Amino acid sequence: MQIELIPQIKNTTYGNFFLIAGPCAIEGEEMALQIAEKITRITDRLRIPYIFKGSFKKANRSRIDSFTGIGDEKALKILQKVSSTFAVPTLTDIHQVGDAFMASEYVDVLQIPAFLVRQTDLVVAAAQTGKVVNLKKGQFMSPESMKHAVQKVLDCGNPQAIITDRGTMFGYQDMIVDFRGIPTMKKYAPVVLDVTHSLQQPNQDSGVTGGRPEMIETIARAGVVNNVDGLFIETHFDPKNAKSDGANMLHLDLLDKLLTRLTAIRQTINQF
């Protein structure tokens, strides 16, 4: 997979990591456009290839009263508007076979959630749309096992696969990132480090996932030093009131300084 082949992606010739970033879920048009505008401005200045991320619906919820979305078509049309307004590619995750074709009409990258990456029918449906497929490594899977998920995409005649590491379960309520897996998975496809989900603290008694956002820069720096191809960061201008995954998201106001430092690190690494 060559990242520069993703429709509308920019800044691919400057040696930077690429960035997948945006809110966990699409909560409305105004919030999505506000977040996309700020990230686009930052990434254009720093010459970072950028893909806007937003879930059109959230199917994997701890409780039945958790936020799941504003309506499938409504959210997908907002993603489409983000793309046309800011000339950036967009990404959303899918959860059922029927989601694949529907979402592919609106976005450039289809993401397979970590808990579903072994679901052959879902991976095949995504691959058959011809879109780029972002395969999130299951929290329960080894880096080596991701070659089989990638091969499912390739076997459908689609060469456009990406792997995203979102951490590995450590006990019941914590995640770790094993950086030994990065060079392994890079043998199969470009590798993205999902910084914010790697800092989740799942399975809380409240039914609301916790997180450690104060560690975002630590994990991101380590990923850049270890030559990840891309970073995945969920961000929001009001994480405390975000409707999904607020506990581990980066405040949007902190993104500029973070990316500035990370690009400086990447420039240093590139010299070696």
Side-chain angles (χ1 to χ4, degrees):
M1 169 68 203
Q2 295 176 292
I3 300 303
E4 58 269 23
L5 297 180
I6 298 174
Q8 297 197 89
I9 199 157
K10 297 175 287 186
N11 302 311
T12 58
T13 61
Y14 296 100
N16 251 326
F17 52 85
F18 68 94
L19 178 70
I20 299 171
C24 177
I26 299 298
E27 302 169 10
E29 181 176 308
E30 184 179 354
M31 64 82 69
L33 292 174
Q34 180 180 340
I35 293 170
E37 180 180 17
K38 185 160 187 176
I39 303 176
T40 301
R41 188 167 61 247
I42 294 168
T43 53
D44 280 349
R45 177 173 56 81
L46 295 174
R47 295 175 173 175
I48 298 171
Y50 173 51
I51 302 168
F52 177 85
K53 180 268 171 189
S55 296
F56 79 95
K57 68 177 176 183
K58 301 298 294 182
N60 176 25
R61 303 284 82 191
S62 297
R63 303 187 330 205
I64 198 169
D65 61 347
S66 297
F67 174 80
T68 58
I70 60 173
D72 294 356
E73 188 174 11
K74 183 178 181 181
L76 287 167
K77 285 184 175 179
I78 291 171
L79 284 162
Q80 189 176 52
K81 185 168 184 178
V82 166
S83 182
S84 62
T85 301
F86 300 106
V88 295
T90 54
L91 172 153
T92 199
D93 40 349
I94 61 173
H95 302 86
Q96 304 176 67
V97 169
D99 292 344
F101 178 76
M102 176 178 64
S104 72
E105 295 288 287
Y106 297 91
V107 302
D108 304 290
V109 184
L110 298 178
Q111 179 170 284
I112 308 298
F115 282 129
L116 300 176
V117 76
R118 284 177 54 91
Q119 297 297 108
T120 299
D121 288 351
L122 183 61
V123 174
V124 167
Q128 288 178 339
T129 66
K131 297 289 184 175
V132 178
V133 181
N134 184 31
L135 301 157
K136 282 210 160 181
K137 186 184 82 66
Q139 301 93 319
F140 46 87
M141 292 173 66
S142 69
E144 291 80 5
S145 65
M146 285 303 294
K147 66 183 175 183
H148 303 299
V150 171
Q151 193 61 49
K152 290 176 185 178
V153 178
L154 299 179
D155 286 346
C156 292
N158 185 341
Q160 303 182 103
I162 299 171
I163 299 172
T164 294
D165 190 344
R166 50 97 70 242
T168 301
M169 286 300 299
F170 186 71
Y172 290 116
Q173 295 181 324
D174 207 358
M175 311 285 295
I176 60 168
V177 177
D178 184 354
F179 290 96
R180 297 174 300 177
I182 292 173
T184 297
M185 292 186 290
K186 285 185 71 163
K187 298 175 185 175
Y188 318 135
V191 174
V192 176
L193 177 59
D194 183 343
V195 179
T196 46
H197 284 103
S198 296
L199 294 167
Q200 281 186 330
Q201 294 178 313
N203 300 319
Q204 300 296 314
D205 183 60
S206 65
V208 179
T209 297
R212 298 190 64 190
E214 72 278 5
M215 297 296 293
I216 286 173
E217 183 157 351
T218 299
I219 297 296
R221 283 181 179 229
V224 171
V225 168
N226 284 285
N227 288 311
V228 292
D229 298 289
L231 295 176
F232 182 114
I233 298 174
E234 286 190 339
T235 183
H236 197 287
F237 50 79
D238 187 12
K240 289 184 178 179
N241 292 304
K243 296 183 182 296
S244 179
D245 281 3
N248 56 268
M249 275 200 277
L250 179 73
H251 197 292
L252 188 59
D253 289 346
L254 301 176
L255 185 64
D256 193 337
K257 289 184 178 179
L258 173 64
L259 291 177
T260 298
R261 291 191 286 267
L262 294 176
T263 53
I265 293 171
R266 175 49 59 93
Q267 288 169 8
T268 300
I269 294 300
N270 286 345
Q271 295 176 23
F272 297 98

